[in-house]
Every structure is written in C-alpha cells, then in structure tokens.
Amino acid sequence: MSHLPPQPKTLGSRGPLRGTITVPGDKSISHRSLMLSALAVGESRVEGLLEGEDVLATAAAMRAMGAEIERGTDGIWRIHGVGVGGLRQPDTALDMGNSGTSTRLLMGLVASHAITATFTGDASLSGRPMGRVIEPLSTMGAEITASPGGRLPLMLRGLCPGVPITYTLPVASAQVKSAILLAGLNTPGITTVVEPVATRDHSERMLAGFGADLTVEPSPEGRVIRIRGEAELRPQQIVVPGDPSSAAFWLVAASVVPGSDIVVANVGLNPTRTGVIAALRLMGADIGEENPRIVGGEPVADLRVRHATLRAIEVPTELTPSMIDEYPVLFVAAAFAEGRTVARGAHELRVKESDRIAAMRAALELCGVVCEEYEDGLAITGTGGEPIPGGATIASLLDHRIAMSLSVAGLHARRPITIDDAAPVATSYPSFYASLDHLATNDAEQAA
C-alpha cells in the first residue's frame, strides 16, 4: 500500500459547531461485507462502504485471492465472489497497511483454505501482537510462522479440511471471535466460540444474512456462537450505516465546544457499539436520536448533539467492550468535565495501533490536563467546561484515533494544539478535517 508523508495539523478554537454531516461507513461492517461477498457465489453490491486505507487493504487482499471487486462511478461496490473454499493462492504478500482488523480476520479466512499467505504491514501494525489469533487458528490446523513476539510479518499455511474447535475467549475480542468463525466457514462440522463478555456482533449478523448456518445462545458461561462449516453463502445487497466510532468525535466535539448544535446523520446504533453514547449521557451530554430506523438488519438513527456541561463519572466497566475504540475521545471529554473521571477496564488499549493509554496520558499532560495512569485506563481531572491550556505538539504515533481525538481537544483549547502527523486519519476517516471545516463554516455563515 502507499502511505502518505507526515502531515502536521494545527487545531485551535473556531467557535461553535453547527450543521449536519454524515460520517464514513462503519469500518467493521465494511471489512466484513467485502470478505463475505468475496466468499459468496454471484454478485454482491455494497453501498456506503468506508473508502479508507484499512478497508481498501481488505479489498486488495480479497482481489489477490481471486475475488472480482470494483467500485462503480455510482459509488456502489460490486463483488463477484469465489465461493467458500474457493480462495486462491496469492501471488505476493498481503500488505495490510495499518489494519489490524484486516489482518486478524483474513488470517481466519486463510486458515481453513489450502493456501499459504504472507501478511505484512506498516511499522505500527508490525508492532502489534497477533498471538490471540494465532493460538486458536493453530488449534484448527493452520501452520503459522510469525516474527518474534507473534508479530508481522507472518506466514500462514492453511489446512483444508480444518479441525472444528470449541474455544472460550480468554479476553473480550470481536476480532478473535470473528477470525475463528470465518475459519469455521470452510471447516467441516461445527465450530463453537464461547464469549464470556459480549463484543460487537457484526460478524454474527452478517454471516446469518449471507446464509451461514449460525446460532447464538445464552449460557451460564456467556454467549455461545456455533457455525456449521462448508457453508454456501448467497450474494447480498448491503447498505453500510455510518460508523459510530467516527461519529464519537463529533459527539464529544459538540458537547464540549460552547454554543454547538449539530446533527450526525445515519449513524449505526448496534447495541454492541453504543457504549460511548451511554457513557457520554451519564456525563450529562445532550445526545438525541432522531428518525430511528432499521437498515440492513442494523439499527440506525440521526444523532442531534448540543453543547452541555459534562460532569465526571466512573465509567462502568461493563461498557468497555462496546466502546473500546472510543476511549481516546472519551478521555478528551473527561478533560473538559467537572471533577475527576475514572475510566478503567480497558487493557486492550495497550495493544491497539499504539499504546493508547500511555499515548493519551502523554498527550493530555502536554496540553495541561492532570492525568493518572493505570494499567487498564486513566483518571482525568477536568476543567469544568473551561478551555484546556493546549499549546502542545502531539505525536500521533501512526494512530488515527489519537490524531482525531487531540484534534477535537484543540477546538476548545486556550492555545492551538499541533498534531505532528495527521496522515493516519486517512485509514478510517479521510474526510474528517473537511467535515470539521463544514461544521465551523456553518456557524460562521449563520453569525454573518
């Protein structure tokens, strides 16, 4: 993949945010729609696909393994699949760029096909451990040779037929769960995943929608997901809702910038993804849902957000699985709240694109915010709605969510905040800064 050179970005106070925006398509659904469409026989169509670098890495990998994937001039993606079991040997290494989701889920797909694939990535991805996926996929018969520490580059030799397993997730992880289920698609018999703590369920919803024989049942041990292998998937027409993880930046921005009143349209509200909305509402955020509806089996609504005085809370740990990607921007919200917010139970943040706990503590402290770091989270003493001091240059560490979260912080800072490299934002939200300009311009036009 090509990677942009460093792009410094300086963000300062621009006054209230006003207007209506849409956010890119849900990244989790976009990845899965490409993968499952590539395993169906016939043409699937996907509308609203997130066209960030992470999802494009998935598209490139599926092309390399035989699927025909094209984007029409109408913005609709058309995918002609090869059928379950039909993936072909890629001619070159699969470059995953910065996408951990692409890597872990595609490892699951390859694990039960008689092919060998080498996975590579950028410096950030190559530093992230893959052991949580390697362990169950190896049990299913895949041979995996990884770099030291279970990292990329790694080579995976799939086994067909694979070995069905029953696997209890030791740590809540939708990516590990999904990798096992995808491997189970081409594995004879029933593959079972036991999930003690529920995580985002896009894989289960979409697998069932494509025709896989999949069941989900509660048990004393947690959610039990079973998939019958050697499936035949049917092509689908998919409309991807707006990504709640991308919407979260605007929910916080409008909440903390005085005078703001915005609508974020067409946001997916899958209950396994809405923890950040629940947490912000506990803090006093004014977030309303308008025009609720069901699109492609997923709940969707327009979110209206108005400035509100936030108060500190102890974030309920049961929300963690449904907001793990949103913790960085929640930390920003806490920086403006009244009192000391404690957000813990998020060990997974240590092994994201960066160590997001350490990175956010360092960034917020540079901006004058008082923080205390724990192994599994942060405690943050807020300003009670006043601007933070700001005036710092922040290292994004090749992490798109660090860059966008600190960009939001800069909107209500006494002195501008500079992001040393905002280029990683393109991995998930290429139009982020254009959306910011739109919201700030709308207010300026109304004031005029």
Side-chain angles (χ1 to χ4, degrees), residues 231-248:
E232 292 186 10
L233 302 186
R234 301 184 296 269
Q236 300 293 309
Q237 295 197 25
I238 299 168
V239 178
V240 180
D243 196 321
S245 296
S246 296

Side-chain angles (χ1 to χ4, degrees), residues 282-307:
L282 288 173
M283 297 175 76
D286 183 356
I287 303 173
E289 297 175 18
E290 301 178 349
N291 190 24
R293 53 207 184 269
I294 300 294
V295 178
E298 296 274 352
V300 173
D302 305 326
L303 299 180
R304 184 176 183 184
V305 195
R306 288 172 278 201
H307 171 255

Side-chain angles (χ1 to χ4, degrees), residues 166-356:
T166 296
Y167 189 79
T168 299
L169 294 177
V171 177
S173 172
Q175 292 182 3
V176 176
K177 171 182 66 176
S178 299
I180 298 168
L181 294 176
L182 290 173
L185 270 177
N186 196 42
T187 299
I190 296 176
T191 297
T192 303
V193 179
V194 181
E195 190 176 47
V197 179
T199 64
R200 58 184 63 178
D201 65 354
H202 300 302
S203 291
E204 296 96 303
R205 289 173 183 252
M206 193 167 288
L207 281 164
F210 271 84
D213 184 352
L214 180 141
T215 62
V216 180
E217 297 177 351
S219 79
E221 292 75 33
R223 295 174 77 242
V224 179
I225 307 125
R226 297 182 178 90
I227 188 166
R228 185 178 297 278
E230 300 176 307
E232 292 186 10
L233 302 186
R234 301 184 296 269
Q236 300 293 309
Q237 295 197 25
I238 299 168
V239 178
V240 180
D243 196 321
S245 296
S246 296
F249 299 107
W250 306 120
L251 304 186
V252 172
S255 294
V256 303
V257 176
S260 295
D261 184 350
I262 70 172
V263 173
V264 188
N266 195 45
V267 179
L269 295 181
N270 182 302
T272 64
R273 298 289 303 282
T274 54
V276 70
I277 297 175
L280 288 171
R281 284 174 172 160
L282 288 173
M283 297 175 76
D286 183 356
I287 303 173
E289 297 175 18
E290 301 178 349
N291 190 24
R293 53 207 184 269
I294 300 294
V295 178
E298 296 274 352
V300 173
D302 305 326
L303 299 180
R304 184 176 183 184
V305 195
R306 288 172 278 201
H307 171 255
T309 300
L310 301 183
R311 58 181 178 271
I313 62 168
E314 185 165 334
V315 180
T317 55
E318 59 267 25
L319 293 178
T320 300
S322 62
M323 59 178 287
I324 194 67
D325 286 333
E326 290 75 69
Y327 267 87
V329 78
L330 184 71
F331 293 152
V332 170
F336 295 98
E338 181 178 346
R340 184 173 183 267
T341 295
V342 179
R344 301 191 63 175
H347 300 85
E348 186 74 10
L349 294 179
R350 295 285 186 185
V351 292
K352 289 289 187 176
E353 282 85 335
S354 65
D355 178 341
R356 287 178 173 165

Side-chain angles (χ1 to χ4, degrees), residues 98-136:
N98 189 244
S99 182
T101 302
S102 301
T103 305
R104 295 186 177 101
L105 270 59
L106 288 171
M107 285 173 64
L109 282 184
V110 173
S112 57
H113 285 73
I115 60 177
T116 299
T118 298
F119 292 84
T120 64
D122 68 10
S124 171
L125 182 60
S126 297
R128 298 168 66 183
M130 297 293 158
R132 290 179 184 170
V133 182
I134 291 172
E135 195 272 329

Side-chain angles (χ1 to χ4, degrees), residues 421-444:
D421 184 9
V425 168
T427 66
S428 67
Y429 199 160
S431 60
F432 175 80
Y433 292 108
S435 292
L436 172 57
D437 289 340
H438 172 74
L439 292 173
T441 301
N442 273 346
D443 181 69

Side-chain angles (χ1 to χ4, degrees), residues 400-448:
H400 54 130
R401 299 201 192 280
I402 300 296
M404 287 185 280
S405 296
L406 270 297
S407 295
V408 169
L411 299 178
H412 195 40
R414 296 192 187 282
R415 292 179 295 162
I417 295 172
T418 298
I419 313 300
D420 72 336
D421 184 9
V425 168
T427 66
S428 67
Y429 199 160
S431 60
F432 175 80
Y433 292 108
S435 292
L436 172 57
D437 289 340
H438 172 74
L439 292 173
T441 301
N442 273 346
D443 181 69
E445 289 174 349
Q446 291 177 23

